[in-house]
Amino acid sequence: MTETTAYDDFSGALRDRLGRTVTLAPVDEDNWRAVADVRPRDDQRGHVAALAARYVLLSLREEVWNSLGVLADGEVVGHLMWGRDPTDGTYWIGGVMVDAECQGDGVGRAALRLLLRLLAERPDCREIRLTYHPANRAADRLYPSLGFVPTGEWEDDEQVVVLRPHDG
């Protein structure tokens, strides 16, 4: 991946299991510190970064990823990022992290559903891919439930899964 295309309409919202309104927001001057401070549970650190700050820096430095803050009732509770591979047009999702205190509330599911909807609306979106370590139990339950299926490919020690938003 070497290029992304800006997309700024993150106006959609869904609710989590607690009834909070979950929205996505670009990382900006007002929220970057709160997004950077998002941290997973200790037992997840073998599968994701210790802080979302790593993902925010990737977005700023590599010009590949677009970082988004995940908000629940206006409070930053997570991070995710997306990018587009210009060589084949595939969209990728990465850096999915919900703060340890908010996990299990449906925030991550709602945020991903919002992002999937936004990406699927793009006329050039044929595939959305992501990778995750199969020992990450939360990811192993979440991604298949959203329609992602294994491709048979692996990147490092993570399996690649794909969603084709316009298939059946």
Side-chain angles (χ1 to χ4, degrees):
M1 286 183 281
T2 58
E3 171 188 316
T4 59
T5 306
Y7 189 74
D8 338 26
D9 182 12
F10 301 103
S11 59
L14 291 173
R15 297 219 180 258
D16 68 7
R17 289 187 191 125
L18 302 179
R20 296 177 298 186
T21 301
V22 177
T23 56
L24 303 176
V27 176
D28 61 20
E29 290 298 317
D30 295 327
N31 66 14
W32 74 267
R33 283 188 171 98
V35 174
D37 286 342
V38 169
R39 67 184 68 233
R41 293 188 326 252
D42 289 341
D43 65 312
Q44 296 171 319
R45 291 188 184 187
H47 310 300
V48 296
L51 288 172
R54 178 173 187 263
Y55 302 125
V56 173
L57 284 171
L58 283 172
S59 296
L60 293 173
R61 302 294 298 170
E62 291 188 358
E63 298 180 9
V64 171
W65 295 100
N66 298 282
S67 272
L68 298 171
V70 178
L71 289 71
D73 283 348
E75 179 184 340
V76 172
V77 296
H79 171 273
L80 53 79
M81 59 189 187
W82 67 273
R84 182 178 175 275
D85 184 337
T87 60
D88 65 7
T90 301
Y91 283 85
W92 286 81
I93 296 175
V96 178
M97 185 183 294
V98 173
D99 197 75
E101 294 179 15
C102 296
Q103 290 187 21
D105 296 343
V107 172
R109 175 180 300 280
L112 281 164
R113 286 179 55 211
L114 284 170
L115 181 58
L116 291 172
R117 182 187 308 161
L118 290 167
L119 294 178
E121 289 174 357
R122 294 164 100 33
D124 64 345
C125 183
R126 295 178 320 277
E127 286 190 355
I128 302 168
R129 292 179 173 227
L130 57 86
T131 65
Y132 71 93
H133 194 285
N136 183 340
R137 295 186 190 276
D140 200 40
R141 287 187 306 271
L142 177 61
Y143 298 129
S145 75
L146 292 171
F148 285 92
V149 296
T151 64
E153 301 168 43
W154 290 79
E155 284 192 16
D156 300 322
D157 59 349
E158 296 189 340
Q159 69 177 327
V160 178
V161 294
V162 64
L163 174 72
R164 292 181 179 92
H166 304 292
D167 285 357

